């Protein structure tokens, strides 16, 4: 989970303009047809996270479920951040990842 947490935080650093991102996320939140396409557009991130987990010995089915949960939780964190005025999305992302657990084998 530490690697997924670090990936979520590192993603913030590569966004050139958080204000523009906030505006886009608010637009997505207000249009269900845009929101419904968001999961599909995150496929590269989902695949990367899945490979990361598999490389660390997480069983394949568990890795798939965990990646789906990771994307849903972090997307929700971004949407909650976008609706507010807090300048830093990192606390939202950390809170989202904190609820995820790798089940014991």
């Amino acid at each position: 989970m530490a690697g997924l947490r670090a990936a979520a935080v590192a993603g913030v650093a590569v966004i050139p303009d958080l204000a523009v991102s906030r505006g886009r996320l608010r637009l997505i939140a207000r249009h269900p047809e845009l929101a419904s396409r968001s999961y599909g557009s995150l496929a590269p991130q989902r695949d990367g996270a899945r490979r990361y987990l598999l490389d660390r010995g997480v069983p394949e089915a568990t890795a798939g479920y965990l990646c789906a949960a990771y994307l849903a939780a972090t997307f929700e964190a971004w949407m909650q951040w976008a609706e507010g005025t807090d300048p830093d999305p990192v606390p939202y992302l950390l809170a989202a990842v904190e609820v995820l657990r790798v089940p014991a084998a």
Side-chain angles (χ1 to χ4, degrees), residues 5 8-10 12 18 22 73-74 76-78 80-81 85-99:
R5 186 178 306 107
V9 171
V12 174
L18 284 173
R22 174 174 267 147
T74 55
E76 178 63 21
W78 278 108
Q80 287 184 16
W81 169 79
T85 59
D86 189 340
D88 187 6
V90 170
Y92 297 82
L93 294 165
L94 292 176
V97 175
E98 185 61 30
V99 302

Side-chain angles (χ1 to χ4, degrees), residues 30-103:
R30 292 183 183 103
H31 293 88
E33 64 279 7
L34 294 175
S36 69
R37 297 177 139 220
S38 298
Y39 185 78
S41 68
L42 294 170
Q45 290 85 348
R46 181 176 56 246
D47 294 343
R50 185 177 164 279
R51 279 191 307 276
Y52 174 83
L53 292 168
L54 290 172
D55 289 347
R56 278 144 188 84
V58 175
E60 189 167 345
T62 301
Y65 298 143
L66 188 54
C67 287
Y70 173 74
L71 287 180
T74 55
F75 185 73
E76 178 63 21
W78 278 108
M79 298 304 274
Q80 287 184 16
W81 169 79
E83 288 301 317
T85 59
D86 189 340
D88 187 6
V90 170
Y92 297 82
L93 294 165
L94 292 176
V97 175
E98 185 61 30
V99 302
L100 303 174
R101 301 286 180 268
V102 178

Side-chain angles (χ1 to χ4, degrees), residues 10-31:
V12 174
V14 299
I15 296 174
D17 189 332
L18 284 173
V20 170
S21 293
R22 174 174 267 147
R24 288 177 178 166
L25 289 168
R26 285 179 176 172
L27 182 65
I28 289 169
R30 292 183 183 103
H31 293 88

